[in-house]
């Protein structure tokens, strides 16, 4: 049986080629491609048209190159963050200057439908670094200001195109802002959703640990407090009332045995698990963390004992915890196979951080598997971390 978890739409990292990685590439190529196409093909197309003076071609070409470069750099910086960060003022100023020079050259030759393209694109790109309130003010002010130059030039030239010269540039500014900010809005929403879902997965792990700590405190706190009081009482009675002191110490022994029994019961209930349950749990937890979990599972053999399923379940749980705590994983692969008389479990993930203390829990599990006739190994190569466990099918 092969189960493949579908990648979720997230902010940054579900899997290479999917999720936010794909969304980021799509958004990048959409915005950068559209900006460059508009600037080069439309705004700059006039430069190579017949009849354009050489000085206008040179000046406009240089301004176009600056505007295109600045637009690409600004969009790259903006998409590198989930939310808008510091505004690259130098690039924004350079791009704005290039767009203004190119627009002025084209407007001087009566290109009312073309001159505002470059300024509109740079205004839209600059708006991506602002808050929604700032974006509205910038686009509104820029669209109103864009109507003025064409209106003045058309009126001075008396060419009869006042309405077109005034309204078309304003419409270009609004349309450019809508075209750029729309995909960026989807990118930001996906980013915040991804961060929230990863936080949800981490909180689920912490909540479970807190639950166990609270249960352990409830069991141990009462018993230890009573044991301490009765031990103190027995010490005071030892000289004056030995029989009473002996009775108190027997009660202390009973309380200690009860505490030990209840603690074992708690640990047994908390840790007793099976491979099937832990794989199911890992599927949910990794999906909640927006990690692309690829499950390649063979049917569980009937000869694998409850202890064997429990041990492999612990390995699965520890490996899942390591993926969440010690990696920035985009993908995790879980493979379970039965080769002859041995059950084999392998869990690997990418995005592994530098080795820290993640092997401490694995070392303890390795001893337990070795006692059952199996083995547990792990290795860290580049950004990949892999845990592999084997266990005899008939292990008691």
């Amino acid at each position: 049986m092969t189960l493949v978890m579908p990648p979720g739409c997230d902010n940054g990292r579900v899997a290479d080629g999917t999720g936010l990685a794909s969304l980021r590439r799509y958004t990048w190529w959409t915005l950068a491609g559209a900006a460059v196409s508009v600037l080069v093909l439309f705004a700059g197309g006039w430069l190579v048209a017949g009849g354009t003076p050489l000085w206008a071609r040179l000046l406009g070409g240089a301004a176009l190159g600056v505007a295109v470069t600045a637009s690409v750099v600004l969009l790259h910086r903006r998409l590198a963050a989930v939310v808008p960060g510091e505004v690259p003022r130098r690039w924004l100023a350079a791009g704005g200057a290039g767009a203004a020079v190119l627009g002025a050259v084209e407007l001087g030759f009566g290109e009312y439908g073309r001159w505002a393209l470059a300024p509109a694109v740079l205004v839209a790109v600059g708006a991506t670094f602002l808050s929604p309130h700032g974006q509205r003010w910038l686009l509104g002010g820029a669209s109103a200001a864009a109507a003025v130059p064409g209106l003045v030039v058309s009126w001075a030239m008396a060419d009869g195109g006042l309405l077109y010269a005034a309204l078309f540039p304003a419409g270009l500014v609004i349309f450019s802002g809508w075209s750029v900010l729309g995909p960026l809005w989807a990118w930001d929403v996906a980013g915040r959703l991804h961060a929230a879902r990863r936080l949800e997965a981490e909180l689920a792990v912490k909540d479970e640990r807190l639950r166990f700590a609270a249960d352990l405190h409830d069991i141990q706190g009462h018993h230890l407090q009573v044991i301490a009081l009765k031990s103190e009482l027995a010490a005071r009675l030892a000289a004056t009332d030995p029989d009473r002191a002996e009775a108190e110490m027997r009660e202390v022994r009973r309380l200690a045995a009860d505490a030990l029994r209840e603690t074992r019961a708690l640990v047994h209930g908390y840790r007793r698990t099976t491979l099937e349950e832990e794989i199911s749990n890992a599927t949910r937890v990794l999906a909640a963390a927006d990690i692309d979990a690829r499950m390649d599972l063979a049917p569980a053999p009937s000869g694998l004992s409850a202890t064997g399923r429990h041990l492999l379940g612990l390995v699965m749980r520890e490996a899942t915890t390591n993926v969440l705590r010690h990696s920035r994983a985009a993908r995790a692969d879980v493979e379970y196979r039965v080769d002859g008389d041995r059950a084999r479990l392998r869990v690997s993930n990418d995005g592994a951080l530098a080795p820290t203390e993640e092997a401490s829990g694995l070392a303890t599990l390795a001893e337990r598997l070795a006692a059952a006739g199996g083995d547990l190994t792990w290795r860290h190569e580049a950004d990949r971390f892999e845990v592999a466990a084997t266990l005899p099918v008939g292990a008691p």
Side-chain angles (χ1 to χ4, degrees), residues 4-22 25 194 198 282-283 285-295 320 322-334 348-353 383-385:
V4 178
M5 291 296 300
C9 179
D10 62 297
N11 147 358
R13 174 185 87 235
V14 176
D16 294 337
T18 61
L20 188 69
S22 294
R25 285 193 293 269
H194 169 73
R198 289 191 68 86
T283 300
V285 171
L286 294 176
D290 288 317
I291 297 174
D292 186 22
R294 306 295 178 93
M295 304 292 181
T320 304
N322 285 338
V323 172
L324 295 174
R325 293 184 57 193
H326 304 296
S327 77
R328 296 191 178 96
R331 171 172 172 170
D333 295 279
V334 178
S348 62
N349 63 275
D350 61 4
L353 304 178
D383 70 331
R384 295 198 64 81
F385 189 78

Side-chain angles (χ1 to χ4, degrees), residues 318 322 325-326 354-363:
E318 182 68 19
N322 285 338
R325 293 184 57 193
H326 304 296
T356 54
E357 74 280 9
E358 73 257 35
S360 59
L362 294 174

Side-chain angles (χ1 to χ4, degrees), residues 76-92:
H76 175 75
R77 296 256 181 111
R78 176 59 180 83
L79 284 172
V82 177
V83 294
E86 183 181 355
V87 180
R89 300 182 183 277
R90 293 183 179 179
W91 282 106
L92 193 58

Side-chain angles (χ1 to χ4, degrees), residues 153-236:
V153 173
S154 179
W155 177 79
M157 297 179 65
D159 54 11
L162 288 176
L163 189 62
Y164 175 74
L167 297 182
F168 190 77
L172 279 179
V173 173
I174 296 175
F175 178 77
S176 298
W178 175 77
S179 300
V180 172
L181 295 178
L184 255 292
W185 173 80
W187 164 262
D188 291 339
V189 170
R192 294 186 180 95
L193 176 62
H194 169 73
R197 294 183 69 180
R198 289 191 68 86
L199 179 61
E200 178 186 11
E202 293 176 2
L203 289 177
V205 175
K206 293 179 180 179
D207 287 344
E208 180 62 16
R209 290 174 178 168
L210 290 175
R211 184 197 68 79
F212 178 74
D215 291 345
L216 184 61
H217 177 271
D218 292 342
I219 290 174
Q220 297 283 17
H222 171 74
H223 288 298
L224 292 177
Q225 183 68 28
V226 176
I227 288 172
L229 292 175
K230 286 187 173 292
S231 298
E232 182 181 356
L233 176 60
R236 291 200 304 265

Side-chain angles (χ1 to χ4, degrees), residues 59-60 63 96-106 119:
L59 181 60
V101 171
L102 178 59
V105 172
E106 293 177 332

